[in-house]
Amino acid sequence: MKKTILTKTFFQWIAAFTLLVSGALWATNGADLTQSPEVSGTPEGSIHMPKQQGRMALNYVNQPPLVPHSVDGYQVSKNTNRCLQCHGVEHYRTTGAPRVSPTHFMDSDGKVLSNVAPRRYFCLQCHVPQTDAAPIVENTFTPSKGFGN
């Protein structure tokens, strides 16, 4: 009985110490990251999210299209998906919005579903709004031949 209590206390101390150290490391790394000369943040208010604009060219094969309008205030949760009010099968003809791709109606086994597949339901995971923000980290990416500008 005494050995069990001693072992339990030992593991509680180890768990507490681990949490303390990992919290300290996380805070230190976060501070260093914000002060790194390689990362330049964008000043508050300098990002422009257009209300509406034309579609941008894709940069690579199977790139999810960018959203050409603001999504501020859009609710996408397990119960509601604001995107489907315009892009859904029932609405796209009346709204003029592009229809959700047929690939979004297939489950992971390739079975066609009557509704958007759960793995494709949260649109804003892949389809991000267009913006004129400067890149946070510079890169040398160039679009594949035949894509982009």
Side-chain angles (χ1 to χ4, degrees):
M1 182 80 158
K2 195 172 191 177
K3 185 177 180 182
T4 306
I5 293 171
L6 185 59
T7 304
K8 184 177 179 182
T9 306
F10 175 74
F11 283 115
Q12 287 173 337
W13 276 105
I14 293 294
F17 178 75
T18 303
L19 285 172
L20 181 67
V21 170
S22 61
L25 288 173
W26 178 77
T28 303
N29 286 342
D32 290 342
L33 180 63
T34 58
Q35 295 172 3
S36 170
E38 299 171 330
V39 178
S40 60
T42 305
E44 280 285 324
S46 68
I47 297 174
H48 176 255
M49 299 282 288
K51 289 259 186 216
Q52 189 72 30
Q53 65 183 22
R55 290 188 199 175
M56 289 179 71
L58 300 179
N59 292 311
Y60 55 89
V61 176
N62 295 326
Q63 174 189 346
L66 298 173
V67 179
H69 57 80
S70 175
V71 293
D72 287 345
Y74 273 41
Q75 184 177 4
V76 179
S77 68
K78 67 177 187 159
N79 297 322
T80 233
N81 184 330
R82 172 67 176 86
C83 303
L84 295 176
Q85 291 178 6
C86 294
H87 298 277
V89 178
E90 306 86 26
H91 308 288
Y92 79 95
R93 286 189 179 108
T94 57
T95 62
R99 183 177 62 87
V100 175
S101 169
T103 61
H104 288 50
F105 291 87
M106 287 189 250
D107 68 8
S108 57
D109 298 324
K111 179 182 172 193
V112 178
L113 307 171
S114 59
N115 291 316
V116 173
R119 67 188 187 131
R120 300 287 188 114
Y121 182 79
F122 295 96
C123 310
L124 300 175
Q125 305 185 135
C126 300
H127 302 278
V128 297
Q130 299 175 46
T131 181
D132 63 357
I136 295 172
V137 178
E138 294 298 323
N139 69 68
T140 58
F141 174 81
T142 54
S144 299
K145 188 174 180 172
F147 287 88
N149 297 331

